[in-house]
Amino acid sequence: MNLSQTFSWLHRGTSEIFPNQPQSTDPDENLEARLTRGDRPLRIKLGIDPTGAEIHLGHSIVFRKLRAFQDAGHTAILLIGDFTARIGDPTGKSEVRKQLTEEQVQANAQTYIDQVRPILDFDTPGRLEIRYNSEWLSKLDLGKIQELLATMTVGQMLAKEGFAERYKKENPIYLHEFLYPLMQGYDSVALEADVELGGTDQKFNLAVGRDLQRHFGQRPQFGLLLPILVGSDGVQKMSKSLGNYVGLQEDALSMYSKLEKTPDSLIEQYFELLTNLPLESLPENPRDRQKLLALEVSSQYHGQAAALEAQKAALTLIQGNAKQADAVPEFSLESIQFPAKLFYILSATGLCKGSSDARRQIEGGAVRLDGDRISEVNLTFEAASELHGKVLQVGKNKFVRLI
Protein backbone atom coordinates (compact mmCIF):
# COMPACT_ATOMS: atom_id res chain seq x y z
CA MET A 1 0.00 0.00 0.00
CA ASN A 2 1.48 3.39 -1.02
CA LEU A 3 1.45 6.51 1.12
CA SER A 4 -1.53 8.02 -0.68
CA GLN A 5 -3.59 4.92 0.12
CA THR A 6 -2.33 4.87 3.71
CA PHE A 7 -3.41 8.47 4.16
CA SER A 8 -6.67 8.30 2.21
CA TRP A 9 -8.40 9.84 5.25
CA LEU A 10 -6.08 12.83 4.95
CA HIS A 11 -6.98 13.58 1.33
CA ARG A 12 -10.69 12.80 1.40
CA GLY A 13 -12.53 16.06 0.80
CA THR A 14 -9.32 18.10 1.16
CA SER A 15 -8.97 21.04 -1.23
CA GLU A 16 -5.33 21.86 -0.61
CA ILE A 17 -2.38 21.09 1.64
CA PHE A 18 0.44 23.61 1.67
CA PRO A 19 3.33 23.36 1.34
CA ASN A 20 2.91 20.24 -0.78
CA GLN A 21 5.81 18.48 -2.46
CA PRO A 22 4.38 14.97 -3.08
CA GLN A 23 7.69 13.45 -4.18
CA SER A 24 9.68 14.90 -1.31
CA THR A 25 10.66 12.98 1.82
CA ASP A 26 11.35 16.23 3.67
CA PRO A 27 8.95 16.38 6.66
CA ASP A 28 8.89 20.19 6.26
CA GLU A 29 7.65 19.99 2.66
CA ASN A 30 5.44 16.88 2.64
CA LEU A 31 2.78 16.32 5.30
CA GLU A 32 2.62 12.60 4.56
CA ALA A 33 6.36 12.38 5.29
CA ARG A 34 5.80 14.26 8.57
CA LEU A 35 3.02 11.83 9.52
CA THR A 36 5.10 8.80 8.51
CA ARG A 37 8.04 9.84 10.66
CA GLY A 38 5.82 9.28 13.68
CA ASP A 39 8.27 10.36 16.40
CA ARG A 40 5.42 12.13 18.24
CA PRO A 41 1.74 12.93 17.78
CA LEU A 42 1.26 16.08 15.72
CA ARG A 43 -0.58 19.07 17.13
CA ILE A 44 -3.54 19.88 14.88
CA LYS A 45 -5.04 23.33 15.32
CA LEU A 46 -8.59 24.36 14.46
CA GLY A 47 -9.51 27.87 15.49
CA ILE A 48 -13.13 28.97 15.74
CA ASP A 49 -14.43 32.41 16.59
CA PRO A 50 -17.76 32.06 18.44
CA THR A 51 -19.47 34.97 16.70
CA GLY A 52 -22.84 33.18 16.55
CA ALA A 53 -24.74 30.54 18.48
CA GLU A 54 -25.49 27.87 15.89
CA ILE A 55 -23.28 25.55 13.84
CA HIS A 56 -24.52 23.98 10.61
CA LEU A 57 -23.27 21.11 8.44
CA GLY A 58 -21.09 23.51 6.46
CA HIS A 59 -19.11 24.21 9.63
CA SER A 60 -18.90 20.50 10.48
CA ILE A 61 -16.47 19.71 7.64
CA VAL A 62 -13.39 21.05 9.44
CA PHE A 63 -14.44 19.37 12.70
CA ARG A 64 -14.78 16.03 10.88
CA LYS A 65 -11.26 16.41 9.51
CA LEU A 66 -10.02 17.25 13.01
CA ARG A 67 -11.65 14.02 14.22
CA ALA A 68 -9.86 12.09 11.44
CA PHE A 69 -6.54 13.33 12.82
CA GLN A 70 -7.64 12.28 16.31
CA ASP A 71 -8.47 8.79 15.07
CA ALA A 72 -5.03 8.62 13.46
CA GLY A 73 -3.45 9.20 16.88
CA HIS A 74 -2.77 12.94 16.82
CA THR A 75 -3.69 15.72 19.24
CA ALA A 76 -6.58 17.96 18.26
CA ILE A 77 -6.47 21.52 19.53
CA LEU A 78 -9.87 23.18 19.47
CA LEU A 79 -8.97 26.83 19.82
CA ILE A 80 -11.78 29.09 20.94
CA GLY A 81 -11.02 32.57 19.65
CA ASP A 82 -12.61 34.36 22.58
CA PHE A 83 -10.18 37.27 22.13
CA THR A 84 -10.12 37.43 18.30
CA ALA A 85 -13.92 37.11 18.17
CA ARG A 86 -14.08 40.52 19.76
CA ILE A 87 -12.12 41.88 16.78
CA GLY A 88 -13.96 39.86 14.14
CA ASP A 89 -12.48 38.05 11.14
CA PRO A 90 -12.64 40.46 8.18
CA THR A 91 -12.42 37.58 5.67
CA GLY A 92 -15.17 37.83 3.06
CA LYS A 93 -16.71 40.91 4.63
CA SER A 94 -17.51 44.04 2.69
CA GLU A 95 -17.65 46.11 5.87
CA VAL A 96 -16.33 46.04 9.41
CA ARG A 97 -17.78 43.36 11.68
CA LYS A 98 -19.81 44.35 14.70
CA GLN A 99 -17.69 43.80 17.81
CA LEU A 100 -19.12 41.42 20.42
CA THR A 101 -18.99 41.70 24.19
CA GLU A 102 -17.00 39.25 26.29
CA GLU A 103 -20.26 37.85 27.69
CA GLN A 104 -21.68 37.19 24.20
CA VAL A 105 -18.50 35.42 23.14
CA GLN A 106 -18.43 33.18 26.22
CA ALA A 107 -22.07 32.18 25.78
CA ASN A 108 -21.54 31.37 22.12
CA ALA A 109 -18.37 29.40 22.88
CA GLN A 110 -20.21 27.03 25.20
CA THR A 111 -22.91 26.34 22.60
CA TYR A 112 -20.20 25.61 20.01
CA ILE A 113 -18.54 23.06 22.28
CA ASP A 114 -21.87 21.38 23.02
CA GLN A 115 -22.71 21.11 19.31
CA VAL A 116 -19.42 19.49 18.25
CA ARG A 117 -19.48 16.80 20.93
CA PRO A 118 -21.01 14.23 18.52
CA ILE A 119 -18.09 14.84 16.13
CA LEU A 120 -14.92 15.04 18.23
CA ASP A 121 -13.41 12.55 20.65
CA PHE A 122 -13.75 14.22 24.04
CA ASP A 123 -13.02 11.06 26.03
CA THR A 124 -9.65 9.59 24.99
CA PRO A 125 -6.87 11.10 27.14
CA GLY A 126 -4.41 13.26 25.23
CA ARG A 127 -6.52 13.48 22.08
CA LEU A 128 -8.17 16.88 22.64
CA GLU A 129 -7.10 20.22 24.05
CA ILE A 130 -9.63 23.04 24.35
CA ARG A 131 -7.82 26.35 24.54
CA TYR A 132 -8.83 30.01 24.56
CA ASN A 133 -6.61 32.55 22.83
CA SER A 134 -7.27 35.15 25.53
CA GLU A 135 -4.73 33.08 27.51
CA TRP A 136 -1.90 34.75 25.60
CA LEU A 137 -3.39 37.52 23.46
CA SER A 138 -4.76 39.44 26.46
CA LYS A 139 -1.24 39.53 27.88
CA LEU A 140 0.51 41.00 24.85
CA ASP A 141 2.26 44.26 25.66
CA LEU A 142 2.79 47.13 23.23
CA GLY A 143 6.29 45.92 22.42
CA LYS A 144 5.05 42.49 21.35
CA ILE A 145 2.21 44.00 19.32
CA GLN A 146 4.74 46.26 17.59
CA GLU A 147 6.86 43.19 16.79
CA LEU A 148 3.85 41.44 15.25
CA LEU A 149 2.93 44.48 13.17
CA ALA A 150 6.52 44.72 11.90
CA THR A 151 6.28 41.26 10.30
CA MET A 152 3.89 42.43 7.58
CA THR A 153 3.64 45.44 5.28
CA VAL A 154 0.48 47.40 4.49
CA GLY A 155 0.79 46.20 0.90
CA GLN A 156 0.80 42.57 2.00
CA MET A 157 -2.23 43.16 4.19
CA LEU A 158 -4.11 44.88 1.38
CA ALA A 159 -3.45 41.86 -0.85
CA LYS A 160 -5.88 39.95 1.34
CA GLU A 161 -8.99 39.50 -0.80
CA GLY A 162 -11.53 41.18 1.47
CA PHE A 163 -9.29 44.15 2.18
CA ALA A 164 -8.45 44.59 -1.51
CA GLU A 165 -12.12 44.75 -2.46
CA ARG A 166 -12.99 47.19 0.29
CA TYR A 167 -10.02 49.42 -0.51
CA LYS A 168 -11.01 49.47 -4.21
CA LYS A 169 -14.58 50.41 -3.31
CA GLU A 170 -13.32 53.00 -0.80
CA ASN A 171 -15.12 51.21 2.03
CA PRO A 172 -13.52 51.92 5.44
CA ILE A 173 -10.82 49.57 6.71
CA TYR A 174 -10.01 50.05 10.37
CA LEU A 175 -6.55 49.46 11.82
CA HIS A 176 -7.76 46.97 14.42
CA GLU A 177 -8.86 44.69 11.54
CA PHE A 178 -5.22 44.39 10.44
CA LEU A 179 -4.51 42.83 13.81
CA TYR A 180 -6.85 39.89 13.20
CA PRO A 181 -4.69 37.75 10.86
CA LEU A 182 -1.60 38.58 12.92
CA MET A 183 -3.23 37.50 16.16
CA GLN A 184 -4.66 34.36 14.59
CA GLY A 185 -1.19 33.62 13.27
CA TYR A 186 0.32 34.20 16.70
CA ASP A 187 -2.09 31.55 18.03
CA SER A 188 -0.10 28.99 16.03
CA VAL A 189 3.08 30.21 17.73
CA ALA A 190 1.54 29.97 21.20
CA LEU A 191 0.22 26.46 20.51
CA GLU A 192 3.27 25.23 18.55
CA ALA A 193 0.90 23.88 15.90
CA ASP A 194 2.10 21.38 13.31
CA VAL A 195 -1.01 21.59 11.13
CA GLU A 196 -3.79 24.17 10.95
CA LEU A 197 -7.20 23.43 9.43
CA GLY A 198 -9.45 25.96 7.74
CA GLY A 199 -11.82 26.64 4.88
CA THR A 200 -10.49 27.60 1.46
CA ASP A 201 -11.25 31.23 2.34
CA GLN A 202 -8.76 31.08 5.23
CA LYS A 203 -5.52 30.47 3.30
CA PHE A 204 -4.19 33.98 3.96
CA ASN A 205 -4.67 33.63 7.72
CA LEU A 206 -3.09 30.16 7.83
CA ALA A 207 -0.12 31.38 5.82
CA VAL A 208 0.41 34.22 8.31
CA GLY A 209 0.67 31.57 11.02
CA ARG A 210 3.49 29.90 9.07
CA ASP A 211 5.30 33.21 8.67
CA LEU A 212 5.06 34.05 12.36
CA GLN A 213 6.22 30.60 13.47
CA ARG A 214 9.25 31.04 11.23
CA HIS A 215 9.81 34.54 12.70
CA PHE A 216 9.77 33.15 16.25
CA GLY A 217 12.11 30.26 15.42
CA GLN A 218 9.54 27.47 15.17
CA ARG A 219 9.05 24.88 12.46
CA PRO A 220 6.26 26.28 10.21
CA GLN A 221 2.92 24.51 10.28
CA PHE A 222 1.21 22.89 7.32
CA GLY A 223 -2.03 24.44 6.15
CA LEU A 224 -4.90 22.10 5.26
CA LEU A 225 -7.85 23.68 3.49
CA LEU A 226 -11.36 22.22 3.23
CA PRO A 227 -14.04 23.22 0.70
CA ILE A 228 -16.96 25.50 1.44
CA LEU A 229 -20.18 23.45 1.46
CA VAL A 230 -22.88 24.47 -1.00
CA GLY A 231 -26.27 24.82 0.68
CA SER A 232 -29.47 22.89 0.02
CA ASP A 233 -30.45 25.36 -2.72
CA GLY A 234 -27.58 23.96 -4.80
CA VAL A 235 -26.29 27.46 -5.59
CA GLN A 236 -24.85 29.44 -2.68
CA LYS A 237 -22.69 28.40 0.25
CA MET A 238 -24.57 27.00 3.22
CA SER A 239 -25.69 29.86 5.42
CA LYS A 240 -28.29 30.40 8.09
CA SER A 241 -29.10 33.83 6.70
CA LEU A 242 -29.86 32.30 3.29
CA GLY A 243 -32.09 29.60 4.78
CA ASN A 244 -30.25 26.84 2.86
CA TYR A 245 -28.67 25.21 5.89
CA VAL A 246 -29.03 22.15 8.12
CA GLY A 247 -28.21 23.01 11.74
CA LEU A 248 -26.46 20.56 14.06
CA GLN A 249 -29.01 21.42 16.77
CA GLU A 250 -32.01 20.59 14.60
CA ASP A 251 -34.14 17.66 15.69
CA ALA A 252 -33.68 14.36 13.87
CA LEU A 253 -36.86 14.69 11.81
CA SER A 254 -36.01 18.19 10.58
CA MET A 255 -32.47 17.13 9.72
CA TYR A 256 -33.63 13.98 7.93
CA SER A 257 -36.39 15.81 6.04
CA LYS A 258 -33.99 18.44 4.71
CA LEU A 259 -31.25 16.01 3.71
CA GLU A 260 -33.55 13.62 1.87
CA LYS A 261 -34.22 16.47 -0.55
CA THR A 262 -30.52 17.08 -1.33
CA PRO A 263 -30.19 17.99 -5.02
CA ASP A 264 -28.62 15.31 -7.24
CA SER A 265 -25.85 17.77 -8.15
CA LEU A 266 -24.69 17.90 -4.51
CA ILE A 267 -25.21 14.34 -3.36
CA GLU A 268 -21.64 13.06 -4.02
CA GLN A 269 -20.05 16.10 -2.39
CA TYR A 270 -22.28 15.69 0.65
CA PHE A 271 -21.34 12.01 0.97
CA GLU A 272 -17.65 12.85 0.64
CA LEU A 273 -17.61 15.73 3.11
CA LEU A 274 -20.27 14.72 5.63
CA THR A 275 -19.85 10.92 5.89
CA ASN A 276 -17.17 8.23 5.94
CA LEU A 277 -19.07 5.92 3.58
CA PRO A 278 -17.06 4.56 0.61
CA LEU A 279 -18.02 6.60 -2.43
CA GLU A 280 -17.61 3.68 -4.82
CA SER A 281 -20.40 1.67 -3.20
CA LEU A 282 -23.23 4.19 -3.05
CA PRO A 283 -26.67 3.14 -4.35
CA GLU A 284 -27.26 3.82 -8.04
CA ASN A 285 -30.83 5.04 -7.59
CA PRO A 286 -30.82 8.81 -6.81
CA ARG A 287 -33.72 8.52 -4.37
CA ASP A 288 -31.96 5.73 -2.47
CA ARG A 289 -28.87 7.93 -2.26
CA GLN A 290 -30.87 10.77 -0.74
CA LYS A 291 -32.40 8.46 1.87
CA LEU A 292 -29.03 6.92 2.75
CA LEU A 293 -27.44 10.36 3.12
CA ALA A 294 -30.27 11.61 5.32
CA LEU A 295 -30.12 8.51 7.50
CA GLU A 296 -26.33 8.47 7.80
CA VAL A 297 -25.93 12.15 8.74
CA SER A 298 -28.92 12.14 11.09
CA SER A 299 -27.44 9.09 12.84
CA GLN A 300 -24.19 10.95 13.49
CA TYR A 301 -25.90 13.64 15.53
CA HIS A 302 -28.91 11.85 17.01
CA GLY A 303 -28.00 8.14 17.03
CA GLN A 304 -29.21 5.44 14.67
CA ALA A 305 -32.41 4.73 16.57
CA ALA A 306 -33.55 8.36 16.41
CA ALA A 307 -32.55 8.61 12.75
CA LEU A 308 -34.56 5.50 11.86
CA GLU A 309 -37.51 6.89 13.79
CA ALA A 310 -37.15 10.15 11.84
CA GLN A 311 -37.15 8.22 8.59
CA LYS A 312 -40.29 6.41 9.65
CA ALA A 313 -41.93 9.66 10.74
CA ALA A 314 -41.06 11.31 7.42
CA LEU A 315 -42.89 8.52 5.61
CA THR A 316 -45.79 8.69 8.06
CA LEU A 317 -46.29 12.31 7.05
CA ILE A 318 -47.41 10.98 3.72
CA GLN A 319 -49.44 8.03 5.04
CA GLY A 320 -46.45 5.74 5.37
CA ASN A 321 -46.31 5.11 1.63
CA ALA A 322 -42.65 5.21 0.54
CA LYS A 323 -43.62 5.49 -3.11
CA GLN A 324 -45.40 8.74 -2.38
CA ALA A 325 -42.26 10.22 -0.84
CA ASP A 326 -41.17 11.45 -4.24
CA ALA A 327 -44.53 13.12 -4.81
CA VAL A 328 -44.70 15.50 -1.86
CA PRO A 329 -45.93 18.80 -3.33
CA GLU A 330 -43.74 21.83 -2.68
CA PHE A 331 -44.68 25.40 -1.84
CA SER A 332 -42.25 28.29 -2.27
CA LEU A 333 -42.04 30.65 0.70
CA GLU A 334 -40.90 33.48 -1.57
CA SER A 335 -44.50 34.63 -1.88
CA ILE A 336 -44.83 35.01 1.92
CA GLN A 337 -43.91 38.25 3.62
CA PHE A 338 -42.24 37.59 6.97
CA PRO A 339 -42.86 37.78 9.88
CA ALA A 340 -45.90 35.63 9.10
CA LYS A 341 -48.46 33.78 11.20
CA LEU A 342 -48.91 30.07 10.59
CA PHE A 343 -52.63 30.39 9.88
CA TYR A 344 -51.82 32.78 7.02
CA ILE A 345 -49.25 30.36 5.60
CA LEU A 346 -51.78 27.51 5.78
CA SER A 347 -54.19 29.62 3.77
CA ALA A 348 -51.54 30.67 1.24
CA THR A 349 -50.46 27.07 0.60
CA GLY A 350 -54.04 26.03 -0.12
CA LEU A 351 -54.05 23.48 2.69
CA CYS A 352 -56.90 25.48 4.25
CA LYS A 353 -59.70 27.42 2.58
CA GLY A 354 -58.78 30.62 4.37
CA SER A 355 -57.39 32.06 7.61
CA SER A 356 -60.57 31.22 9.56
CA ASP A 357 -60.43 27.61 8.40
CA ALA A 358 -56.73 27.49 9.26
CA ARG A 359 -57.42 28.72 12.79
CA ARG A 360 -60.10 26.04 13.25
CA GLN A 361 -57.75 23.33 11.99
CA ILE A 362 -55.04 24.42 14.43
CA GLU A 363 -57.49 24.54 17.34
CA GLY A 364 -58.76 21.09 16.37
CA GLY A 365 -55.25 19.58 16.45
CA ALA A 366 -55.19 18.76 12.74
CA VAL A 367 -52.05 20.75 11.87
CA ARG A 368 -48.55 19.30 12.07
CA LEU A 369 -45.14 20.70 11.17
CA ASP A 370 -42.59 17.98 10.43
CA GLY A 371 -44.75 15.59 12.44
CA ASP A 372 -45.14 17.84 15.50
CA ARG A 373 -48.70 18.85 16.32
CA ILE A 374 -49.21 22.63 16.40
CA SER A 375 -51.65 24.00 18.96
CA GLU A 376 -50.71 27.70 19.12
CA VAL A 377 -53.22 29.55 16.93
CA ASN A 378 -51.15 32.72 16.61
CA LEU A 379 -47.78 30.99 16.08
CA THR A 380 -45.53 33.42 14.18
CA PHE A 381 -42.39 32.76 12.16
CA GLU A 382 -39.86 35.55 11.81
CA ALA A 383 -38.08 34.28 8.69
CA ALA A 384 -38.46 31.72 5.91
CA SER A 385 -35.32 29.95 7.15
CA GLU A 386 -37.31 28.68 10.16
CA LEU A 387 -39.56 26.69 7.80
CA HIS A 388 -37.31 25.83 4.87
CA GLY A 389 -37.42 22.10 4.07
CA LYS A 390 -40.15 21.26 6.57
CA VAL A 391 -43.40 19.46 5.80
CA LEU A 392 -46.64 21.24 6.72
CA GLN A 393 -49.64 18.91 7.08
CA VAL A 394 -53.38 19.28 7.66
CA GLY A 395 -55.27 16.11 8.55
CA LYS A 396 -54.10 12.82 7.05
CA ASN A 397 -54.17 13.61 3.37
CA LYS A 398 -53.02 17.19 2.79
CA PHE A 399 -49.38 18.22 3.05
CA VAL A 400 -46.72 20.38 1.36
CA ARG A 401 -42.97 20.75 1.73
CA LEU A 402 -41.99 24.36 2.32
CA ILE A 403 -39.06 25.51 0.20
Side-chain angles (χ1 to χ4, degrees), residues 182-232:
L182 291 169
M183 289 188 169
Q184 178 173 301
Y186 189 72
D187 291 340
S188 294
V189 175
L191 294 169
E192 299 184 355
D194 295 296
V195 181
E196 182 171 5
L197 310 182
T200 51
D201 59 346
Q202 291 292 317
K203 185 171 184 177
F204 182 93
N205 292 339
L206 271 59
V208 171
R210 284 177 51 80
D211 292 342
L212 289 179
Q213 285 179 311
R214 192 180 292 110
H215 173 80
F216 285 100
Q218 294 183 11
R219 167 177 280 173
Q221 66 186 10
F222 286 87
L224 192 152
L225 304 178
L226 286 304
I228 306 299
L229 190 69
V230 178
S232 57

Side-chain angles (χ1 to χ4, degrees), residues 90-92 152-168 173 177-178 181 201-205 207-208 211:
T91 300
M152 184 174 292
T153 68
V154 172
Q156 288 173 315
M157 194 68 76
L158 288 177
K160 181 176 169 62
E161 182 179 351
F163 287 147
E165 292 177 1
R166 286 163 63 182
Y167 186 74
K168 183 178 180 180
I173 301 172
E177 296 181 271
F178 281 180
D201 59 346
Q202 291 292 317
K203 185 171 184 177
F204 182 93
N205 292 339
V208 171
D211 292 342

Side-chain angles (χ1 to χ4, degrees), residues 56-129:
H56 55 63
L57 289 179
H59 300 127
S60 75
I61 296 171
V62 287
F63 292 104
R64 286 179 49 77
K65 184 63 71 174
L66 189 62
R67 175 58 186 263
F69 274 100
Q70 283 185 300
D71 291 342
H74 302 285
T75 301
I77 306 172
L78 180 57
L79 175 64
I80 308 296
D82 60 331
F83 192 94
T84 46
R86 282 177 268 163
I87 300 175
D89 185 357
T91 300
K93 298 299 174 184
S94 59
E95 56 187 27
V96 65
R97 278 183 179 270
K98 180 181 178 181
Q99 295 188 48
L100 302 179
T101 66
E102 183 176 354
E103 292 73 20
Q104 288 173 314
V105 171
Q106 290 296 333
N108 290 342
Q110 187 55 54
T111 66
Y112 274 33
I113 292 173
D114 292 341
Q115 289 171 78
V116 300
R117 283 188 180 277
I119 305 176
L120 298 178
D121 179 1
F122 279 75
D123 300 321
T124 304
R127 287 290 174 257
L128 178 65
E129 295 180 17

Side-chain angles (χ1 to χ4, degrees), residues 55-341:
I55 297 177
H56 55 63
L57 289 179
H59 300 127
S60 75
I61 296 171
V62 287
F63 292 104
R64 286 179 49 77
K65 184 63 71 174
L66 189 62
R67 175 58 186 263
F69 274 100
Q70 283 185 300
D71 291 342
H74 302 285
T75 301
I77 306 172
L78 180 57
L79 175 64
I80 308 296
D82 60 331
F83 192 94
T84 46
R86 282 177 268 163
I87 300 175
D89 185 357
T91 300
K93 298 299 174 184
S94 59
E95 56 187 27
V96 65
R97 278 183 179 270
K98 180 181 178 181
Q99 295 188 48
L100 302 179
T101 66
E102 183 176 354
E103 292 73 20
Q104 288 173 314
V105 171
Q106 290 296 333
N108 290 342
Q110 187 55 54
T111 66
Y112 274 33
I113 292 173
D114 292 341
Q115 289 171 78
V116 300
R117 283 188 180 277
I119 305 176
L120 298 178
D121 179 1
F122 279 75
D123 300 321
T124 304
R127 287 290 174 257
L128 178 65
E129 295 180 17
I130 299 178
R131 305 289 294 275
Y132 295 80
N133 62 13
S134 60
E135 293 177 34
W136 48 87
L137 294 182
S138 63
K139 299 174 184 176
L140 293 181
D141 58 23
L142 185 58
K144 182 64 71 174
I145 293 173
Q146 182 177 343
E147 182 179 0
L148 289 177
L149 291 170
T151 64
M152 184 174 292
T153 68
V154 172
Q156 288 173 315
M157 194 68 76
L158 288 177
K160 181 176 169 62
E161 182 179 351
F163 287 147
E165 292 177 1
R166 286 163 63 182
Y167 186 74
K168 183 178 180 180
K169 295 178 180 178
E170 299 185 355
N171 289 341
I173 301 172
Y174 294 88
L175 292 177
H176 77 276
E177 296 181 271
F178 281 180
L179 282 172
Y180 184 89
L182 291 169
M183 289 188 169
Q184 178 173 301
Y186 189 72
D187 291 340
S188 294
V189 175
L191 294 169
E192 299 184 355
D194 295 296
V195 181
E196 182 171 5
L197 310 182
T200 51
D201 59 346
Q202 291 292 317
K203 185 171 184 177
F204 182 93
N205 292 339
L206 271 59
V208 171
R210 284 177 51 80
D211 292 342
L212 289 179
Q213 285 179 311
R214 192 180 292 110
H215 173 80
F216 285 100
Q218 294 183 11
R219 167 177 280 173
Q221 66 186 10
F222 286 87
L224 192 152
L225 304 178
L226 286 304
I228 306 299
L229 190 69
V230 178
S232 57
D233 58 357
V235 180
Q236 302 187 75
K237 73 174 184 178
M238 185 170 285
S239 167
K240 185 176 180 181
S241 62
L242 295 174
N244 63 353
Y245 75 107
V246 180
L248 302 194
Q249 288 185 312
E250 292 190 39
D251 62 89
L253 181 56
S254 295
M255 183 176 284
Y256 183 94
S257 298
K258 288 184 179 182
L259 287 168
E260 72 166 349
K261 297 293 289 183
T262 301
D264 292 344
S265 60
L266 297 180
I267 199 78
E268 291 237 0
Q269 183 192 47
Y270 274 39
F271 270 113
E272 180 179 20
L273 298 176
L274 303 177
T275 81
N276 293 327
L277 297 177
L279 302 180
E280 64 276 7
S281 60
L282 299 178
E284 292 186 10
N285 183 281
R287 182 60 184 157
D288 290 340
R289 288 189 176 205
Q290 289 174 315
K291 291 179 180 178
L292 177 60
L293 175 70
L295 186 64
E296 175 67 19
V297 176
S298 299
S299 295
Q300 292 175 25
Y301 298 99
H302 299 285
Q304 188 175 37
L308 288 170
E309 192 63 31
Q311 184 179 62
K312 180 180 177 181
L315 296 177
T316 300
L317 287 172
I318 49 174
Q319 303 181 47
N321 187 337
K323 290 184 179 180
Q324 291 180 349
D326 297 311
V328 179
E330 296 180 339
F331 177 82
S332 174
L333 294 167
E334 291 182 0
S335 61
I336 304 294
Q337 184 174 351
F338 288 86
K341 293 187 180 296

